Amino acid sequence: MKKRIIGLDILRDIGVIFIFFYHFFVEYIVTAGGTDGAMYGYNYFFNILARPASLFLFVISGYALMYNHEDEMPIGKYFKRRFKGLFIPFYVAYTLMFIISFLVNNEVVGHDLPIKLFVYTILGVDGVAQLTGANFYLIGEWFMTCIVVCYVLFPLLAKLLKKFKYITLGVLMVWYVFLLYIYNPFPITQLMNPAFIIVYFYLGMFLQNLLGENKINSKIRVACAIISVLIFIYFCMIGFIPSLEWMKMKQVQTEIIYFILSMTMLIALRDVEIPSDKIVYTIITYISGISWYVILLHHRIMILFYSHLSVENYNHRDIFALLLACIFITWALSIFVREASNRVKKLI
């Protein structure tokens, strides 16, 4: 049995926690129209790691597939395994939130749209497709679309990795720079575009193939940890100290900094070791184990809350109570979806 890499679990936990809190505060502003200045500050703080978190979640996905030798599986077995792990939870969570949304909003999602558009949801790509036109999108957002594309391309990328490891990396980096700095032909920015995300995914595959079971040099890990902290401090300073706003960069340059942060965090944390009998190990692996279900569900739950609550008179205690409600309901529904998905997997 392959040894569990607890460092990747820590990264996954950091990712889902920051994304969860970022969405809670951004929906307070966007959906509910809240004006409490403190909430804007919280929103900015959690957004510092929300973007790099989403990036290193893709890096982790590529790393994990190579670590588990899924590149060596027969193609049919690989896609069956990915379908069971990705689409069954998505379908179960979608069905659950479809029913809840109908009961709350008194109308079905996409009630006036052509039913043929539901094919985007069946394929799991409605999150990005809805950025260019209405469809039956409900959960999963752009993250689901991008991970579907990554998983579909994985067998091809794995072959290229084995035969042309550095050439493929070079081509993808040129592609990345071209799209980022020269011309992006797609009607989607780099923030949610699978054409960009595939580069992060391949980097995870590349790192696992390059490093294997070898430990990363401790000096390199310390250096990466220091860089990660310094980047985090930089974003805090430009966000909370008005006199330093001149240090802010444009979106393209910021994306590069986020990319660097995601990679340094991965290198700094990959070889962390925690005894499996420690309570902190149990907590880390538990959160990691339900992270996919949380990612699927949490944002829609928050939107449902904020679209039906009036928050203009909320004080900080009221907002904290709502946060606790979102945490509890997301956790409870995540457990339900996980158990229901496991039952469906056994049936097929």
Side-chain angles (χ1 to χ4, degrees), residues 36-39 42 314-321:
D36 188 325
M39 300 305 112
Y42 293 141
Y314 273 27
N315 60 26
H316 288 185
R317 292 181 184 179
D318 297 321
I319 296 172
F320 181 68

Side-chain angles (χ1 to χ4, degrees), residues 20 24 27-28 31-32 97 100-101 104-105 297-311 314 321-330 333:
F20 183 97
F24 178 83
E27 293 307 330
Y28 167 87
T31 300
M97 294 311 299
I100 292 175
S101 295
V104 172
N105 295 327
L297 294 167
H298 76 282
H299 203 177
R300 181 56 51 178
I301 292 170
M302 293 170 183
I303 291 173
L304 286 176
F305 268 119
Y306 278 128
S307 60
H308 291 277
L309 292 174
S310 179
V311 301
Y314 273 27
L322 180 58
L323 174 60
L324 290 179
C326 287
I327 292 173
F328 177 79
I329 293 174
T330 300
L333 293 183

